[in-house]
Amino acid sequence: MWGAGGCIVAALLCAHLLEQSTAANAFFIVGFVLAGVPILFRAIQGLHFKTVSIELLVSIAAIGACCIGEFSEVAIVTFLFQFGSFLEQKTMKKMRSAIKSLTEMAPSAAWRIAGDTIGKSYRIDPQKSVDAVLIYGKIEITIQYTEYGGKNNGSTFN
C-alpha cells in the first residue's frame, strides 16, 4: 500500500513539475498494480463464495478506468481503498484491546439479593442464573472520622 502511495506521489511530481505524462502514467500504472492486485484477489475470493463485495465493485471500476485511460484515477481510488482498509484494521485492533480491558475489569464477586435482604457474598458464576445480585468491584472508599475525644483518624476500605 505504501509503495502505491509513493508511486502516486512520484507520478504527480512527474506530471506537474517535470511535465512528463508518459512517466507519470507509468508510475500511476505501477501504483494501481501495487494497490489493486490485493483488492482483485479479495474480490475473486468473494466470488468463490458467491458474494458480491465492495472489492468486486472497486475492481470492476478500476479495470474500467484502465480501459478508458484514466490511470491517475484508478491509482488514487485503489490506494484510498487500501488506506481505508488499513485504517479499519487499526481501529478494530484498538477496539478489541479496549473490550479486552473492559472484560478484565469485570467483578468477581457479588451479594445475592433475596426480597428486602442482602444475602452472603459469593463468586460470580456466569452459568448459574439468580434473581438479582448486587455486584461490587474494585472500589476504594476512604472515610474520615473523629473519635470521641477529638482525635482525627482515617480508614480505607476496599
Side-chain angles (χ1 to χ4, degrees):
M1 176 190 65
W2 300 113
C7 287
I8 291 170
V9 169
L12 291 173
L13 290 174
C14 285
H16 295 292
L17 293 180
L18 304 176
E19 297 180 4
Q20 295 288 325
S21 62
T22 306
N25 283 339
F27 277 118
F28 280 132
I29 291 170
V30 171
F32 161 64
V33 169
L34 290 175
V37 169
I39 297 170
L40 184 61
F41 283 146
R42 288 195 304 263
I44 292 170
Q45 287 175 347
L47 284 176
H48 286 292
F49 296 107
K50 298 179 182 175
T51 305
V52 177
S53 62
I54 187 69
E55 286 87 358
L56 178 64
L57 299 175
V58 169
S59 297
I60 292 170
I63 292 168
C66 278
C67 290
I68 62 172
E70 290 295 329
F71 302 115
S72 62
E73 299 297 325
V74 72
I76 292 170
V77 165
T78 54
F79 170 75
L80 289 175
F81 188 80
Q82 287 288 77
F83 188 67
S85 295
F86 169 75
L87 291 177
E88 182 181 4
Q89 289 173 0
K90 296 289 279 184
T91 304
M92 292 295 288
K93 184 178 178 182
K94 284 188 177 187
M95 183 193 64
R96 283 188 191 105
S97 68
I99 290 174
K100 183 180 178 189
S101 68
L102 281 175
T103 57
E104 290 171 355
M105 291 173 44
S108 59
W111 285 303
R112 183 173 182 170
I113 300 173
D116 291 336
T117 62
I118 297 176
K120 67 176 185 166
S121 175
Y122 67 97
R123 305 270 314 150
I124 294 177
D125 185 3
Q127 304 300 323
K128 293 182 181 177
S129 93
V130 293
D131 296 330
V133 293
L134 176 63
I135 299 175
Y136 61 92
K138 299 175 182 173
I139 300 173
E140 186 174 296
I141 302 170
T142 303
I143 299 174
Q144 291 289 332
Y145 61 92
T146 304
E147 290 182 8
Y148 187 74
K151 183 179 169 191
N152 203 3
N153 204 345
S155 296
T156 301
F157 298 94
N158 290 325

